[in-house]
Every structure is written in C-alpha cells, then in structure tokens.
Amino acid sequence: MKALLCKQYGPPETLVVEELPALHPQKNQVVIAVKACGVNFPDTLIIQGKYQFKPPFPFSPGGEAAGVVKELGEEVKHLKVGDNVFAMPGWGGFAEELVVDANRAFRMPPSMDYNVAASLMYTYGTSYHALKDRAQLKAGETLLVLGAAGGVGLAAVNLGKIMGAKVIAAASSDEKLALCKEYGADGLINYSKEDLRESLKTLTGGGVDVVYDPVGGSYAEPALRALNWKGRYLVVGFAAGQIPALPFNLALLKGSSIVGVFWGAFAEKEPKANFQNITELFEFYQKGTLKPYIQKTYSLAEAPQALNDMLERRVMGKLVVTP
C-alpha cells in the first residue's frame, strides 16, 4: 500500500510517497482501506515537530479519515469487515491503509459520503465542543468568529446559527466573507481592511457574548475588549502563528472568562460526552442544517500542496485527500 511519509521534520515538500507492506491489526485494532482523509491545521504542525504529539519516524500525517473496514483484530465487537467508518487516529490517514484502535473508529451514517465523513470531526467536533460545552452558547447571544472561513471557523458559523445565536464572521477577504454569508452569518467584517473593534461597535451597538478564536495574533486583544459582561473568550488555536499576550485586567473588569478548547483531549478524557456530541452532530447533518463545505480534493501525491495551501491560509472550509 502507498503512504505519504514524514521521515524528518520539515515543510510539506519533504514528504515522500512510498510503497509499504500491507497493514495488519493487533488486538482491539482495525485496518481501514482509506477513501478520504481530511486536511487539518495540526497536520502542518506534526510534520514540523511543532504539535503536542510526536510520533516516531516514519509516519504519515492525517488525523481524520473515512473508509471501509478491511480487517479486524481480536476482541473487536462493534464493527465488521465491510463497514463504512470514520476514524480519528491522530496521524496515519494520508495512506491507502490505516491501522487504528477500534475505539477510535465509528460507523458512518448511511446517508453520508466518505469526503463528508472525513471532514466532520476535527472541525465540527472542535467547534461544537467549544460552543456547547465550553462557552455554553445560548440562543439570542452574539457570537464573533475569527478566521470565519477556515475549517473550524466556518463550522462555528454554521453551528452558531443552528444554536440560535447572532453570528458575526470576521475574515481576511471579501471572498471568504461571501462564503460565511452563505452559511448564515448576520454580520461580516473584513479585518484586512476594517478596524475590528470599531466594526464590532457598529454591528452590535455594544459588544459580543462569545469570541471564537482559532487565529490568535493581533486580532485577539481587540476581540477580548469587545466582550460583554460575563463574556466568554474561546482559545481554539493560533493559525496566525503568534500566541497573543492578553491583558488579564480586561477579564477582571468585564467579569469574562478566557476558556481553552482542546477537543482531542476532551474526546479522550470524556468519551461519553464526546459521543453524545457526535450523535447530535449527525442529527444536525441528517436534518440538513449542518453542511460541511469541501473546497477541493487532492490525490496522495498532491497532499503536500494541500498542506501548503493550509499553511498559506488559502483554505475556505475543508480540503480532503483521496488516496
């Protein structure tokens, strides 16, 4: 089977496609014939040695995959050969085959295709955990989403509307904001041309209740200053590359909360709560309200370009590699 391998830390150009022996499961594992693998920002970090997890070389990036169960290890009871599944291995998905612990693989709903299944969990799982569990977003509240056209950002826009919030989308281009408007955003801010804080005052007449921030960098402080009393600031990631140093006196003065969002740890430490979230996301999908946006698909050989597109912030919604 073919796999895209990281043999040493570096940029996407250092990754190579090689032929490897077929995979076989150990106890409580499954082998999946991969049909689609989502491209996520952590994939760009793990190949550079900048992620929380550092698998041994050689390894394949790709933490979110969908495909067909090819082989079962001993004691796997909830799946069978031939099942369509999505899996969250952390890495290994940019390959024709993937071996994963069985408790990280789940049956796909019958109506869902592979590309959607490989695009759902990292973005919508993160955003739903953030808005539901960490922010406890309520209908009628105002939600500001930074980086709103990216994978997690667009998911937050979509879910914010599903949950009944007024959603303000902030992004770096008019093209990105047009997509956010299609997903129901009530207000739009192009922060490459507009002052974020002043635009928020104009749109809200005051402030916002929840900030969803996967970007970091220079937009963090004006977003924090825009919070209403008892507002919640969700720290999701740092796509801008700079981890902001925020003035904590603002949290004191506004009675606000600065809340960390680490969906991967939540899924591992609270599997029952995570599974409930997954069930609810599937219900939204089956109702037609949850709509992952897939901008482009790539072959395995083209996967380094997909990672570069992610690094250079050219992505709207999701990219998918189809081995």
Side-chain angles (χ1 to χ4, degrees):
M1 68 99 178
K2 290 184 173 64
L4 184 73
L5 297 180
C6 177
K7 294 186 167 184
Q8 61 184 23
Y9 292 133
E13 292 80 8
T14 62
L15 302 175
V16 292
V17 176
E18 290 190 3
E19 188 78 33
L20 298 177
L23 300 178
H24 298 285
Q26 297 181 5
K27 182 179 177 181
N28 291 316
Q29 290 184 328
V30 296
V31 174
I32 298 168
V34 179
K35 301 297 184 182
C37 186
V39 183
N40 296 287
F41 191 68
D43 298 323
T44 70
L45 300 177
I46 201 168
I47 64 172
Q48 299 178 77
K50 297 179 180 179
Y51 197 49
Q52 293 97 323
F53 305 108
K54 294 179 172 58
F57 297 119
F59 67 89
S60 298
E64 175 185 36
V68 182
V69 174
K70 181 182 177 184
E71 190 175 349
L72 299 173
E74 294 179 20
E75 299 191 13
V76 178
K77 305 298 184 185
H78 69 292
L79 298 172
K80 65 181 185 297
V81 172
D83 278 348
N84 290 327
V85 295
F86 68 91
M88 294 169 285
W91 57 86
F94 287 7
E96 292 178 333
E97 293 180 6
L98 165 70
V99 63
V100 64
D101 291 344
N103 62 3
R104 289 176 172 262
F106 306 87
R107 280 196 187 93
M108 290 165 44
S111 62
M112 188 176 288
D113 67 36
Y114 295 121
N115 286 356
V116 168
S119 302
L120 197 63
M121 283 302 107
Y122 266 49
T123 52
Y124 280 87
T126 294
S127 296
Y128 197 44
H129 169 54
L131 299 178
K132 175 192 171 185
D133 303 318
R134 304 299 285 147
Q136 298 180 357
L137 180 69
K138 300 174 183 65
E141 289 191 313
T142 299
L143 166 68
L144 167 65
V145 182
L146 302 178
V152 292
L154 196 61
V157 172
N158 193 181
L159 288 167
K161 294 305 299 178
I162 290 171
M163 297 168 76
K166 176 183 178 181
V167 178
I168 298 173
S172 60
S173 75
D174 292 339
E175 180 186 13
K176 291 178 178 180
L177 290 172
L179 179 60
C180 296
K181 187 174 182 180
E182 288 181 26
Y183 273 71
D186 301 282
L188 307 173
I189 300 174
N190 183 337
Y191 47 45
S192 68
K193 300 190 294 190
E194 303 172 55
D195 181 271
L196 179 62
R197 192 176 178 198
E198 292 303 315
S199 296
L200 285 170
K201 287 180 181 178
T202 301
L203 286 171
T204 66
V208 301
D209 300 298
V210 176
V211 172
Y212 182 98
D213 183 9
V215 179
S218 61
Y219 305 117
E221 185 171 333
L224 179 63
R225 289 183 181 276
L227 280 177
N228 290 328
W229 175 249
K230 290 189 177 180
R232 289 85 77 199
Y233 190 105
L234 297 169
V235 181
V236 183
F238 311 103
Q242 177 188 351
I243 298 176
L246 296 173
F248 282 175
N249 64 306
L250 295 176
L252 183 153
L253 293 171
K254 293 173 176 287
S256 59
S257 303
I258 299 174
V259 186
V261 178
F262 188 179
W263 172 73
F266 164 73
E268 184 175 336
K269 296 176 185 295
E270 301 180 51
K272 289 184 179 178
N274 182 57
F275 188 75
Q276 178 61 35
N277 285 359
I278 291 172
T279 301
E280 291 171 14
L281 289 173
F282 283 173
E283 290 172 357
F284 295 150
Y285 177 78
Q286 289 169 333
K287 290 177 182 176
T289 55
L290 187 153
K291 303 173 183 178
Y293 176 76
I294 298 169
Q295 182 181 14
K296 189 176 179 181
T297 61
Y298 299 76
S299 69
L300 198 59
E302 295 168 334
Q305 181 59 54
L307 293 170
N308 270 323
D309 288 344
M310 182 71 68
L311 279 169
E312 293 170 15
R313 300 179 68 184
R314 292 195 291 257
V315 180
M316 295 192 295
K318 287 285 292 200
L319 307 179
V320 174
V321 171
T322 55

